[in-house]
Amino acid sequence: MDFDGLFSNFGELTTTGLTQGAIYALVALGYTLVYGVLRLINFAHSEVFIAGAFAAIWTWNGFGLDQNSQVSGLGSILFYLLVAMIVAAIASAGTATVIERVAYRPLRKRNAPPLAFLITAIGASIAISEAFGVYTRRRPEGAPILVSSKPLFHIAGVPIDAVQLLTVGSALVMMFALDQFINRSRTGRGIRAVAQDANTAALMGVNKDRIILMVFIAGGTMAGVAGLLYDVRIQTLTYSVGFLLGLKAFTAAVLGGIGNLRGALVGGLLLGVVENYAAGLFGSQWKDFAAFAVLVVLLMFRPTGLLGESLGRARA
């Protein structure tokens, strides 16, 4: 155990952990939304994230940008980021819509058992992942350098760069927007009503199928933004990267309290920091182990997660 390495790099491990955790949190929002309404673990959500990440890179390719391109000028950077974010969000929301319509809705109409949903989710995840693998010939795709990783300023000696600010800031803004949508809008009230009691909500005039579709679209939008931020931060994307990231995002959702939007944010940020601390203390090979070990330990003492409030019990 390298305590000296942990303490000497504590600040940098914290900032990079929060940056990675912000991506986990955005993806975790999709898991927690779907589970909060349907009590369904949507394992195909990791491929919704991948769809957005690839869509962003292919959008930049359409503008003639590749992994060797470096964009300068604030106006150009914001333009490429904004356009790619919109395309990524649409691509992920569209993928989530197809999954809901093709894979899950027919099962709901037939009152299929929960195991059928779980098997379908895993099958959809593998099918979409392999489709991307075939299309990309299993080769990595590179993203252009849009945001510099050079430090902008220091806080207590810890360098802070634009990528970190963009990632964490975007996650907080998207989380706030989703929280306000769920708690303030008419559709959000419908989502909370269906999450609390779907049959009673239907008797009150709530269109259950429409609400469920909106849940998948909202979760897909969050995953699309996460895909863009992943491209900006990592700058390399492969078709299979969604598997492990999806598992960690699901872990973050459970860690914060599955079905709790704010819990997903807390769980994602905490998971990113904890796995980074473990990498600094034990070595990078223990990073993934620590991420899942902390979940097991926490659930032993708090089975409902850190916050533990269900979506249906959320208050405006």
Side-chain angles (χ1 to χ4, degrees):
M1 291 188 290
D2 185 10
F3 286 101
D4 290 337
L6 174 62
F7 292 125
S8 62
N9 298 299
F10 187 81
E12 293 184 10
L13 290 173
T14 301
T15 55
T16 55
L18 288 174
T19 304
Q20 184 63 31
I23 296 176
Y24 293 156
L26 282 176
V27 181
L29 289 171
Y31 284 106
T32 207
L33 270 173
V34 172
Y35 182 85
V37 173
L38 290 176
R39 295 298 184 267
L40 165 68
I41 302 173
N42 180 23
F43 281 118
H45 190 62
S46 56
E47 275 53 58
V48 173
F49 159 81
I50 284 295
F54 272 118
I57 289 181
W58 292 337
T59 299
W60 292 323
N61 292 161
F63 286 108
L65 303 176
D66 57 23
Q67 66 269 24
N68 298 316
S69 303
Q70 186 165 0
V71 180
S72 60
L74 181 60
S76 297
I77 292 172
L78 291 177
F79 171 77
Y80 289 129
L81 285 175
L82 182 60
V83 172
M85 181 178 292
I86 294 172
V87 173
I90 293 174
S92 288
T95 302
T97 299
V98 171
I99 292 173
E100 194 277 328
R101 286 291 184 93
V102 175
Y104 298 141
R105 183 171 295 191
L107 294 178
R108 292 203 315 274
K109 297 297 184 183
R110 293 172 173 79
N111 293 319
L115 183 59
F117 284 91
L118 180 61
I119 295 173
T120 301
I122 295 173
S125 175
I126 295 173
I128 297 172
S129 177
E130 287 300 308
F132 279 114
V134 171
Y135 185 80
T136 61
R137 299 182 181 179
R138 307 188 189 277
R139 296 173 181 172
E141 299 271 345
I145 302 174
L146 294 175
V147 183
S148 174
S149 58
K150 295 180 180 179
L152 294 176
F153 54 88
H154 292 74
I155 299 178
V158 179
I160 307 296
D161 60 51
V163 174
Q164 294 169 339
L165 291 177
L166 174 67
T167 304
V168 177
S170 298
L172 293 176
V173 169
M174 295 300 294
M175 170 63 212
F176 177 78
L178 181 62
D179 186 72
Q180 292 299 301
F181 171 73
I182 294 295
N183 286 313
R184 303 288 182 183
S185 70
R186 182 177 180 179
T187 301
R189 289 194 294 271
I191 291 173
R192 288 185 285 124
V194 173
Q196 193 166 15
D197 191 324
N199 292 328
T200 301
L203 291 175
M204 299 296 292
V206 177
N207 188 325
K208 180 180 175 181
D209 286 336
R210 177 179 173 273
I211 290 297
I212 290 174
L213 180 61
M214 289 302 301
V215 165
F216 275 85
I217 291 175
T221 301
M222 298 296 116
V225 175
L228 167 80
L229 297 175
Y230 181 92
D231 292 337
V232 171
R233 182 171 185 265
I234 306 299
Q235 296 181 348
T236 302
L237 179 68
T238 58
Y239 77 98
S240 60
V241 75
F243 175 74
L244 182 58
L245 191 143
L247 284 179
K248 288 186 178 180
F250 174 69
T251 299
V254 177
L255 194 63
I258 188 78
N260 186 310
L261 297 181
R262 296 169 188 176
L265 177 66
V266 172
L269 296 176
L270 178 63
L271 185 66
V273 170
V274 167
E275 69 174 18
N276 252 27
Y277 289 162
L281 183 61
F282 301 108
S284 59
Q285 67 271 23
W286 290 93
K287 186 175 182 179
D288 296 336
F289 170 82
F292 298 109
V294 69
L295 173 68
V296 174
V297 173
L298 177 69
L299 292 183
M300 289 174 60
F301 300 97
R302 190 169 177 81
T304 58
L306 289 173
L307 303 187
E309 181 183 328
S310 69
L311 184 65
R313 296 179 183 274
R315 292 289 181 265

